[in-house]
């Protein structure tokens, strides 16, 4: 790997990769977003092996379709959309339900310091975590993106391709359901 490129921004690395075809320019992107993508895939699939496969497949898709990426947009969001779609392709193929992790000891995967990205572990789901499993997928995804990943409303709308009103409605319904689940639990 070309070590001096690790500090470069995503677009600079992508431009160099497109110009030269050298995978050394793509490797820093893999290092930057691998764990972030894994956390998201795992939160949707609740299976570490499926999540690892999805991340690997997503990087392969990004690697081969990098010319479709619009420079000066967010590579992280573009790549996470690939991860999102790859998860749902797998779910449709396997007809699985989507769950968040429910580890026996109550410890969340997200508390691991090695998996922290931009305060990704700032929220402690605690009791809320089990209640999230009860939410329909469309509500669970918006809660994860907004309250766990701390994404802006506009970014979530663009990512999920839904209008702002739909997002607001889903978040409102999710919060009400979560409060009820926690009160009952």
């Amino acid at each position: 790997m070309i070590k001096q490129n690790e500090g470069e921004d995503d677009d600079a690395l992508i431009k160099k990769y497109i110009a030269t075809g050298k995978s050394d320019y793509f490797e820093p992107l893999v290092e930057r977003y691998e764990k972030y993508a894994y956390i998201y895939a795992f939160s949707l699939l609740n299976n570490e092996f499926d999540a690892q496969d999805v991340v690997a497949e997503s990087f392969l898709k990004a690697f081969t379709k990098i010319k479709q990426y619009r420079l000066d947009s967010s590579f992280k969001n573009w790549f996470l959309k690939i991860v999102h779609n790859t998860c749902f392709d797998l779910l449709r193929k396997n007809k699985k339900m989507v769950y968040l992790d429910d580890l026996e000891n109550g410890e969340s995967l997200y508390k691991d310091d090695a998996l922290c990205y931009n305060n990704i572990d700032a929220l402690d789901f605690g009791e809320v975590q089990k209640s999230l499993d009860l939410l329909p997928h469309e509500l669970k995804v918006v809660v994860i993106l907004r309250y766990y990943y701390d994404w802006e409303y506009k970014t979530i709308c663009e990512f999920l391709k839904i209008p702002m009103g739909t997002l607001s409605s889903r978040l409102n319904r999710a919060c009400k359901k979560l409060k009820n689940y926690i009160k009952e639990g």
Side-chain angles (χ1 to χ4, degrees), residues 40 44 80-88 137 141 159-160:
Y40 185 68
L44 294 175
L80 200 58
K81 185 65 174 180
I82 293 172
V83 173
H84 181 86
N85 290 339
T86 306
C87 284
F88 285 100
H137 171 72
V141 168
F159 183 76
L160 295 176

Side-chain angles (χ1 to χ4, degrees), residues 24-144:
D24 290 346
Y25 293 113
F26 198 81
E27 289 175 18
L29 297 171
V30 173
E31 291 175 7
R32 285 179 197 165
Y33 300 113
E34 183 176 32
K35 289 178 183 172
Y36 187 84
Y38 173 81
I39 290 168
Y40 185 68
F42 185 85
S43 71
L44 294 175
L45 301 170
N46 195 36
N47 180 301
E48 75 177 270
F49 301 109
D50 286 345
Q52 290 169 351
D53 288 346
V54 161
V55 171
E57 184 178 342
S58 297
F59 273 116
L60 182 61
K61 287 178 182 179
F63 188 73
T64 58
K65 297 180 180 193
I66 196 67
K67 291 182 181 178
Q68 295 176 8
Y69 167 71
R70 277 189 354 252
L71 292 170
D72 298 324
S73 61
S74 170
F75 176 79
K76 180 171 79 172
N77 289 353
W78 180 78
F79 177 66
L80 200 58
K81 185 65 174 180
I82 293 172
V83 173
H84 181 86
N85 290 339
T86 306
C87 284
F88 285 100
D89 289 345
L90 180 64
L91 290 169
R92 278 191 290 275
K93 180 180 169 190
N94 295 339
K95 296 185 179 174
K96 287 184 178 179
M97 293 299 295
V98 179
Y99 295 102
L100 288 176
D101 64 326
D102 188 13
L103 303 175
E104 290 178 22
N105 62 5
E107 288 295 315
S108 173
L109 165 74
Y110 312 116
K111 291 181 183 176
D112 184 347
D113 289 340
L115 301 178
C116 299
Y117 275 85
N118 300 328
N119 296 324
I120 202 167
D121 64 341
L123 271 182
D124 178 13
F125 276 106
E127 295 177 27
V128 177
Q129 183 175 347
K130 291 179 184 172
S131 299
L132 280 170
D133 286 338
L134 302 173
L135 289 177
H137 171 72
E138 66 184 21
L139 302 181
K140 187 186 313 181
V141 168
V142 296
V143 169
I144 290 169

